[in-house]
Amino acid sequence: MGKTLDVARDRAFDQTKTVLPAEVARGTYMQNAPSLQALKLMHLMIGTAGGRMADEVQHQIRLSDIRKIDGMRNHDRASLTPLFGELAAVVLTHDDPEKMVVTIGGLLDEAKIDYRDEVGGDLLVSWWFRRTFRSMAAESNHWAILDRQTVFHLGSKYSVLLFQHISSLVKLDRIEAKTFTVPELRAVLGVTAGKLDRFANLKAWALSPAIAEINQLSRLTLTATPNKIGRTVASVTIGWQVKDDPTPAKRELQGHSAGRKARRDGSVEAVAVAFPITGGIAYSERWLDIKQTAGCNADNQKIASDFRRFLADRDIARDAMNIEQLFEDFCRKIGKI
């Protein structure tokens, strides 16, 4: 039995931390990376299972307990069902060079949502982990200890995947940086084939926002240094340091998300808001101004629907830190068509 389970058992009563096997934390082991909300659900499931994550047993949590968590408060049966579907589609690949065996399996065996007490305002959620995940957890000797509040406040799947990956490396002796080829970085961030193909787009819409958000909300400070061959970026070196004083990050976690972008940018005028969840932007001065500044004459209803589809395809939250810049860039592109 590996050391990871011992660490998880020792922290069984610490509801502020989740012990994640490094094999899961490092996204290169994971294919079909799920969306932001599904990743948060995965962290909650593993944290709930704790030292029993390798056991072939049923794990349970009530919806009322899920809703106590910031970032998970609005879930119900309809929203949880597709998230479990995403987690069931996750593929875990583990290469054991000593045994010379590659294992391909999954994370989730089966999940059930018991809604017999739905009228009373609660549901019972239960699940079983698949054999591959359980074996991976049982044999793991490396782990990431993640602050749950940080994970549940991050605003994109790119931020969560990068945060959990780097967290699994932080305690390695004399290592304060890691170099990723661009394909490896795409795998770590969970960027699917055909999306963000140019490095400039990968940096602008995934890497840079993720690093800025992690730096603001976590105990870590990350840096990214592109390494070029000629004029082409061949790899990126990501460095990290543990903050001497995590107080500002804790204060950000306790504050309202609406002001985070302004504080991150050092601006007192800009205030981050979420893009409308439905409808157009005809009665929203903020989004109309951005659209007009970009020189776009598209229909207000259509451009709102198209932008929401754009965000969904890239697993970007509607209140992401750079949501206004993303909308402006989107409007400029539409305006040129």
Side-chain angles (χ1 to χ4, degrees):
M1 197 69 68
K3 297 179 182 178
T4 297
L5 291 181
D6 291 335
V7 175
R9 292 189 190 100
D10 290 342
R11 292 181 172 269
F13 299 102
D14 186 353
Q15 297 301 306
T16 68
K17 300 291 190 293
T18 296
V19 177
L20 202 65
E23 292 82 357
V24 177
R26 297 171 191 169
T28 49
Y29 292 89
M30 183 184 296
Q31 299 174 41
N32 302 333
S35 65
L36 172 64
Q37 285 298 313
L39 276 172
K40 290 182 178 180
L41 178 59
M42 181 193 79
H43 277 263
L44 179 59
M45 292 162 61
I46 294 175
T48 300
R52 303 178 69 217
M53 70 178 81
D55 297 347
E56 190 177 358
V57 297
Q58 181 188 60
H59 306 280
Q60 293 182 332
I61 189 170
R62 302 205 71 89
L63 177 63
S64 55
D65 292 321
I66 296 175
R67 287 178 169 174
K68 292 177 182 177
I69 300 169
D70 287 343
M72 305 284 284
R73 289 178 174 174
N74 297 321
H75 279 300
D76 55 19
R77 173 164 53 108
S79 65
L80 287 174
T81 299
L83 299 185
F84 278 115
E86 290 184 48
L87 295 179
V90 168
V91 176
L92 298 176
T93 303
H94 185 215
D95 187 353
D96 188 331
E98 293 184 1
K99 297 179 181 178
M100 300 181 70
V101 173
V102 177
T103 303
I104 304 96
L107 171 72
L108 180 65
D109 180 17
E110 181 178 273
K112 292 186 177 181
I113 302 175
D114 185 339
Y115 58 94
R116 283 175 288 184
D117 193 31
E118 189 170 28
V119 175
D122 207 1
L123 308 172
L124 180 64
V125 178
S126 59
W127 68 93
W128 292 257
F129 290 119
R130 287 186 68 178
R131 176 186 297 177
T132 303
F133 171 80
R134 289 189 282 106
S135 297
M136 192 177 287
E139 297 171 8
S140 174
N141 285 303
H142 302 284
W143 58 90
I145 299 177
L146 301 175
D147 181 82
R148 291 188 190 181
Q149 196 175 11
T150 298
V151 171
F152 292 132
H153 280 79
L154 291 173
S156 78
K157 83 169 189 178
Y158 307 129
S159 300
V160 173
L161 289 170
L162 182 61
F163 177 60
Q164 68 184 37
H165 188 108
I166 299 301
S167 295
S168 74
L169 303 172
V170 166
K171 291 188 178 298
L172 297 181
D173 290 341
R174 296 180 294 277
I175 297 178
E176 295 181 344
K178 182 177 179 180
T179 298
F180 301 86
T181 66
V182 173
E184 287 172 343
L185 185 60
R186 290 175 58 85
V188 168
L189 295 171
V191 179
T192 55
K195 295 182 180 178
L196 307 182
D197 287 333
R198 296 177 60 242
F199 179 76
N201 292 339
L202 180 69
K203 178 183 177 183
W205 291 345
L207 180 60
S208 293
I211 287 178
E213 191 172 34
I214 291 168
N215 289 351
Q216 184 183 35
L217 297 179
S218 83
R219 61 192 176 93
L220 303 177
T221 298
L222 306 187
T223 59
T225 304
N227 306 304
K228 293 185 177 182
I229 297 178
R231 300 178 65 180
T232 302
V233 175
S235 64
V236 177
T237 299
I238 296 181
W240 58 84
Q241 288 185 331
V242 178
K243 295 171 182 172
D244 293 330
D245 181 10
T247 303
K250 292 180 179 179
R251 189 161 48 242
E252 286 293 344
L253 291 172
Q254 294 168 357
H256 196 282
S257 62
R260 284 184 191 145
K261 182 178 184 299
R263 293 189 292 274
R264 188 181 295 121
D265 294 343
S267 167
V268 295
E269 295 180 359
V271 178
V273 295
F275 192 81
I277 190 171
T278 59
I281 59 170
Y283 302 103
S284 173
E285 291 185 4
R286 174 182 296 273
W287 303 107
L288 280 176
D289 286 345
I290 293 174
K291 175 192 165 189
Q292 292 166 1
T293 300
C296 180
N297 296 316
D299 177 79
N300 291 327
Q301 182 77 33
K302 186 177 187 305
I303 198 167
S305 298
D306 291 345
F307 185 60
R308 281 190 289 267
R309 189 177 304 112
F310 169 89
L311 296 177
D313 287 345
R314 290 158 179 78
D315 288 306
I316 300 173
R318 292 182 301 103
D319 62 348
M321 65 162 217
N322 60 336
I323 191 68
E324 293 172 333
Q325 184 61 54
L326 287 175
F327 184 61
E328 183 176 345
D329 293 342
F330 184 84
C331 289
R332 290 187 190 281
K333 181 177 179 181
I334 295 298
K336 293 178 180 179
I337 297 176

